[in-house]
Amino acid sequence: MLFICPVIAQVKQPSVIHKKPTELMGQIREFYHLIAQANVSFTYPKGFVEIIAPNDEDFSFDYALELPGKDFEIWFQVKSEKENWISYQHAQAIPNSQLANPDSAYTAIGAATATAFTGDKNYFVRTIPPDILASYNADAGKSYLLTLLDLPQTKHYKYALLIALQKYHTGTILMVYFTNEKNPEFFKNINRTENSVKFKP
């Protein structure tokens, strides 16, 4: 019900280039830098337009898209775990090291983000099955169906689907899909993204 089929494997810029605000252009440049660091590919989904992603003390995201006229948005967060993995490996040689394994970062990131959006545990969480993970070239992941707090930062959307993915020793991807109605149209719009963000093989 909440997973998408795979396509693409390389970064593609949108075919139509419009003049964009300086803040948005800076965010786009930084997003492409982050996905390169995390060994992630991006394909621009047809029909979507870029919007400014929130990046403050409450919600920190790297890139965002909306589907005009559909009350539907996607926010992305991408993090490289390569340096954290190297630090973790070095720490294993130190007795009583307390450094957490970065290959489990997606669970903490997913749960913290879900709580920030809902204010508590007002969400349904599920482990993503191996065949779906394979479509993202991911090793682990969880999905969260959220009932959102009524917040101006989220434009008062009512519901969201959060997907947290991990590729071991490499990075994490967070995707949040926003809607006001949990109906077939919502999941149809999710499918329109066709794995726009995924780890490279």
Side-chain angles (χ1 to χ4, degrees):
M1 121 175 147
L2 36 90
F3 304 115
I4 340 168
C5 302
V7 283
I8 84 292
Q10 61 183 4
V11 172
K12 296 180 182 176
Q13 293 283 359
S15 56
V16 179
I17 305 297
H18 300 285
K19 190 169 181 181
K20 298 181 175 69
T22 303
E23 183 182 356
L24 182 55
M25 288 302 298
Q27 206 166 62
I28 293 167
R29 282 193 297 270
E30 179 62 16
F31 178 64
Y32 278 95
H33 175 69
L34 291 169
I35 64 175
Q37 285 185 320
N39 203 35
V40 167
S41 68
F42 174 72
T43 297
Y44 196 91
K46 185 177 179 180
F48 286 78
V49 296
E50 294 161 322
I51 56 175
I52 295 172
N55 188 8
D56 54 35
E57 64 277 3
D58 296 318
F59 301 105
S60 179
F61 286 82
D62 307 311
Y63 189 64
L65 299 168
E66 71 173 358
L67 195 53
K70 298 292 186 181
D71 282 335
F72 182 82
E73 290 186 17
I74 316 168
W75 296 359
F76 300 98
Q77 182 189 98
V78 178
K79 293 185 181 297
S80 172
E81 298 291 347
K82 294 173 185 174
E83 290 185 12
N84 292 342
W85 176 251
I86 292 170
S87 298
Y88 175 76
Q89 286 183 305
H90 289 302
Q92 296 312 291
I94 302 171
N96 303 316
S97 171
Q98 300 296 312
L99 197 60
N101 186 335
D103 282 346
S104 62
Y106 77 100
T107 57
I109 294 171
T113 305
T115 300
F117 280 124
T118 63
D120 55 21
K121 300 248 182 202
N122 190 16
Y123 55 83
F124 174 76
V125 60
R126 137 180 202 185
T127 299
I128 298 176
D131 59 324
I132 303 301
L133 291 174
S135 73
Y136 289 101
N137 297 312
D139 296 309
K142 292 185 181 293
S143 65
Y144 305 77
L145 195 56
L146 314 176
T147 299
L148 302 173
L149 292 170
D150 187 12
L151 299 172
Q153 297 97 317
T154 58
K155 303 176 186 176
H156 306 285
Y157 277 109
K158 296 178 182 177
Y159 308 106
L161 173 65
L162 163 63
I163 295 178
L165 301 168
Q166 181 89 38
K167 189 170 182 70
Y168 294 153
H169 316 342
T170 304
T172 59
I173 297 172
L174 222 60
M175 297 175 283
V176 188
Y177 303 87
F178 294 91
T179 186
N180 285 314
E181 300 291 338
K182 291 186 291 186
N183 57 18
E185 184 72 13
F186 174 49
F187 296 102
K188 180 180 176 183
N189 289 334
I190 291 173
N191 288 336
R192 291 180 67 169
T193 66
E194 300 284 0
N195 286 78
S196 56
V197 173
K198 63 192 291 188
F199 292 106
K200 294 178 182 177

